[in-house]
Amino acid sequence: RQEIGRLKAQAGDLLGQLLAVNPEQQIEELNDRLPIVLFPVRLETRFHAASPGAPFTPAVAGVAAAATASQLWIRIYPDDCQVDSFEELPTKTELENAREFWAGMWRAGGVEAQERGAWRSLVAGSSSGRAAYVLQQYAPNIADKPVKVDPQDVVLVIIPGIDVTPDEQTAAFDYYTAVWKADGNKTDEAAALAAFQLAVGNARADDLRAQFAPEANGQDTPRPYTRAQVRVSCAVLKLPPPPPSKTASWTQAPKAAALPDRFVALLFNGGVEVKRVLGRPVTDGLPVGPDPSLPPDQQIKKDGDDLVLNDDLLWTADFERAVAVGMGIKVNLTPAEAGQGFDRLVVVGLRFSSDEKDSKKRLETLFAHHYSSTHGFGLVPQGSPTNNTESEGTGYSWVDDPDASYDAVFKGKEAYAETDDVFQRRDGQWLAEALGIDDAVLKLVPNAAGRDQGEARAMNVALWQTTLGYMMEEMMAPIFSRSDIAATRSFFTRYVSGRGPIPAIRVGKQPYGILPVMAFSRYSSGRERGGVFLRMLPAGDYLQRLHTLLM
């Protein structure tokens, strides 16, 4: 921990040197063919008195602050979407649940209804993404899964604790099958044991009964069948050595991912920027919650009515510490500014220390970690209710729909094939292309195969001839040329969407809309800068003329 602390301090010093240049100059060095993803942050502000103990009054619209205020203090907190609470190591309980799930899959013998039952039991206590992640870490050879002849057949699942020879396995299968068919008949059970001992020897029979025995769960016949009416067989489930595990579900502090290198506070009055203040470099991997792995003397403690926080977490409560780690900004004020206050405050920051490849990887990792955490991640279909009402519940539930997640994880229902056809392109591809990330990150998440974006554009095609197309061709003839009408139709059906241009996402129970923006005052329609989408438009200066018209 001391070495990590020393390296973090070094990294902070180097980052400070890197960021000595004004961000306005640094942003000009970025490739303007690539968009910039801005995450939301939460701000807290107060006007601070010039002298300790002096009164202060916060400045709000129509209310002047006390003249004694000499600074505006700004706190910055990352939002949920930027907090990474992923735990790489599964817990012992998660591994035990995974073990029972695979045993249930073997007992199901390929009967989908029974496989869904095993999955339903597994995801009852966690998100489907977390369950799928644990299964990836602890999976047998699926090709060895038995296949039932009839759904009511019974498969006795053996998870071996020792190695056995083929002859020993055959003798054990015969013994367990005979005991199961005996259905409690002591005479038949004794005869089966004698035959087993004769085949492998008494001592080996005892070892096999102890470490090569069927799981107790799942040995009953399905109703209304009796043991005489069904077939029974044995199957071996060979699980790999369990991965490293932990005893608690929470072993490390959640951290803020992909924060800017530093924040800038912009203050406005009357729509005009009147002040700009640069914050200090932001500490990378900033902890945003308690760390249970710290030694006892560094854990949160209570001192009277106060909480004592460790150094990593102190920034959340101590403003001076927040300023030191770049999550707080002090704005010096003139008496006039303190009295008048400000109409608007904007805090924005960019990450210059990561290039496009590193930024892509960070965003993909963040989304993958959200999906594989207990809170879950997915796309939000259009029309999903965001609040509970008397007549309808919210679109979010802390318990995943087990049937929908089974279809996604085991049948690839959310997986989709990438396409250039805007009407067939699935919502996950729209999101991945807009953010510049790999589709593979999204092909398991809920609702990634939705068609909201394609349907919206198909509606534009359906409505074109009776709305905008009719107006341009008939009502406004001969103002628009045929080439302009064709270009407008192409643009309208590809880029205009009544459902928004990018699908919304969900991190835990919090939905987020994604809003593309641009500075139209600096717009240039050069086709070489337009990318693959704008190259689908007809040649000419159509986009520049459309921009001029809209302005």
Side-chain angles (χ1 to χ4, degrees):
R1 290 184 184 279
Q2 291 175 349
E3 180 66 9
I4 290 175
R6 185 184 68 79
L7 292 173
K8 282 185 176 180
Q10 277 189 356
D13 292 341
L14 292 171
L15 185 61
Q17 297 173 30
L18 173 68
L19 301 177
V21 183
N22 189 305
E24 277 190 283
Q25 294 175 295
Q26 287 180 307
I27 196 173
E28 293 180 356
E29 300 175 11
L30 299 182
N31 183 353
D32 56 9
R33 288 174 58 89
L34 301 175
I36 297 172
V37 177
L38 296 178
F39 289 91
V41 293
R42 179 166 60 91
L43 303 180
E44 295 181 359
T45 62
R46 68 177 290 181
F47 284 87
H48 191 70
S51 58
F56 70 91
T57 304
V60 296
V63 179
T68 54
S70 59
Q71 285 185 331
L72 175 64
W73 288 9
I74 306 169
R75 270 191 175 279
I76 307 163
Y77 291 103
D79 208 79
D80 293 349
C81 59
Q82 219 166 345
V83 174
D84 188 348
S85 60
F86 171 69
E87 296 270 348
E88 182 178 359
L89 294 181
T91 65
K92 292 183 182 297
T93 300
E94 286 176 331
L95 290 180
E96 290 170 359
N97 292 341
R99 183 182 189 274
E100 178 54 35
F101 166 79
W102 288 121
M105 290 289 280
W106 256 235
R107 284 192 292 268
V111 178
E112 185 174 309
Q114 297 174 27
E115 290 184 348
R116 288 179 181 271
W119 175 252
R120 188 175 294 108
S121 299
L122 179 64
V123 300
S126 69
S127 70
S128 59
R130 182 63 184 177
Y133 171 78
V134 174
L135 294 182
Q136 288 175 351
Q137 313 306 307
Y138 193 40
N141 183 2
I142 300 298
D144 295 337
K145 186 174 64 173
V147 178
K148 291 181 177 180
V149 177
D150 294 310
Q152 68 270 18
D153 291 350
V154 173
V155 177
L156 303 180
V157 179
I158 299 172
I159 303 178
I162 57 175
D163 293 329
V164 300
T165 66
D167 289 342
E168 289 174 337
Q169 177 173 299
T170 300
F173 282 7
D174 292 341
Y175 167 67
Y176 294 129
T177 301
V179 170
W180 189 88
K181 289 181 177 180
D183 198 12
N185 186 303
K186 298 302 181 183
T187 302
D188 291 345
E189 290 180 357
L193 178 58
F196 187 31
Q197 292 171 334
L198 181 62
V200 300
N202 290 4
R204 187 57 173 171
D206 291 341
D207 290 341
L208 293 172
R209 292 172 68 197
Q211 300 189 65
F212 193 74
E215 297 288 292
N217 191 13
Q219 295 198 27
D220 295 330
T221 57
R223 294 179 181 179
Y225 300 98
T226 64
R227 294 200 175 192
Q229 294 175 306
V230 301
R231 282 180 291 266
V232 61
S233 61
C234 296
V236 175
L237 168 58
K238 292 184 179 180
L239 289 168
S245 63
K246 52 191 180 148
T247 56
S249 61
W250 170 43
T251 61
Q252 59 190 23
K255 291 180 171 60
L259 284 173
D261 292 322
R262 67 198 314 171
F263 286 101
V264 181
L266 311 173
L267 296 108
F268 297 83
N269 271 327
V272 178
E273 181 186 332
V274 296
K275 216 168 189 67
R276 175 177 300 190
V277 180
L278 191 63
R280 298 188 63 180
V282 176
T283 300
D284 199 22
L286 194 67
V288 295
D291 186 352
S293 69
L294 289 173
D297 62 331
Q298 296 184 39
Q299 295 292 344
I300 296 176
K301 295 182 287 291
K302 186 176 181 183
D303 183 12
D305 293 333
D306 296 328
L307 286 178
V308 180
L309 304 178
N310 62 58
D311 188 62
D312 286 343
L313 204 55
L314 190 59
W315 73 271
T316 61
D318 183 275
F319 185 70
E320 296 298 335
R321 181 62 180 162
V323 172
V325 300
M327 301 302 285
I329 298 177
K330 292 182 177 180
V331 181
N332 293 324
L333 305 176
T334 66
E337 290 170 339
Q340 180 183 2
F342 302 94
D343 295 339
R344 187 181 183 213
L345 165 66
V346 174
V347 174
V348 65
L350 296 178
R351 188 177 184 89
F352 298 103
S353 57
S354 296
D355 62 13
E356 54 263 35
K357 292 182 179 179
D358 182 60
S359 298
K360 173 179 179 289
K361 181 179 178 180
R362 285 174 181 267
L363 189 58
E364 290 172 348
T365 300
L366 180 61
F367 282 1
H369 282 184
H370 281 320
Y371 173 68
S372 299
S373 297
T374 55
H375 53 253
F377 173 86
L379 276 64
V380 181
Q382 287 288 319
S384 298
T386 57
N387 296 82
N388 292 317
T389 64
E390 293 182 359
S391 60
E392 190 174 14
T394 178
Y396 167 77
S397 171
W398 71 274
V399 178
D400 283 353
D401 181 345
D403 288 321
S405 57
Y406 175 91
D407 289 339
V409 174
F410 295 99
K411 305 185 78 173
K413 184 175 180 181
E414 295 301 336
Y416 52 83
E418 293 93 325
T419 176
D420 290 334
D421 188 338
V422 296
F423 305 111
Q424 298 300 322
R425 188 180 302 150
R426 302 301 180 97
D427 292 342
Q429 185 181 349
W430 283 101
L431 178 62
E433 290 182 353
L435 298 180
I437 60 177
D438 193 336
D439 283 78
V441 177
L442 299 174
K443 285 187 177 180
L444 277 180
V445 306
N447 306 310
R451 294 179 175 271
D452 283 338
Q453 295 295 314
E455 288 175 357
R457 286 157 177 80
M459 182 60 73
N460 287 357
V461 173
L463 294 177
W464 166 262
Q465 201 58 42
T466 57
T467 54
L468 189 57
Y470 180 79
M471 184 274 293
M472 295 180 74
E473 292 179 10
E474 303 294 337
M475 299 178 65
M476 303 296 289
I479 293 178
F480 299 104
S481 66
R482 289 191 177 277
S483 61
D484 280 348
I485 294 174
T488 303
R489 183 182 188 277
S490 178
F491 185 84
F492 178 68
T493 55
R494 284 174 169 82
Y495 308 114
V496 179
S497 171
R499 287 178 166 175
I502 302 175
I505 63 173
R506 170 187 66 82
V507 177
K509 61 182 179 181
Q510 178 64 52
Y512 293 92
I514 302 176
L515 178 65
V517 297
M518 68 175 295
F520 273 105
S521 60
R522 300 187 180 189
Y523 173 72
S524 171
S525 65
R527 297 179 65 81
E528 71 282 357
R529 301 175 59 190
V532 63
F533 296 121
L534 298 187
R535 287 199 297 270
M536 293 189 295
L537 289 173
D541 61 347
Y542 171 78
L543 287 179
Q544 187 62 58
R545 290 189 292 117
L546 175 62
H547 170 258
T548 302
L549 174 66
L550 295 176
M551 294 301 289

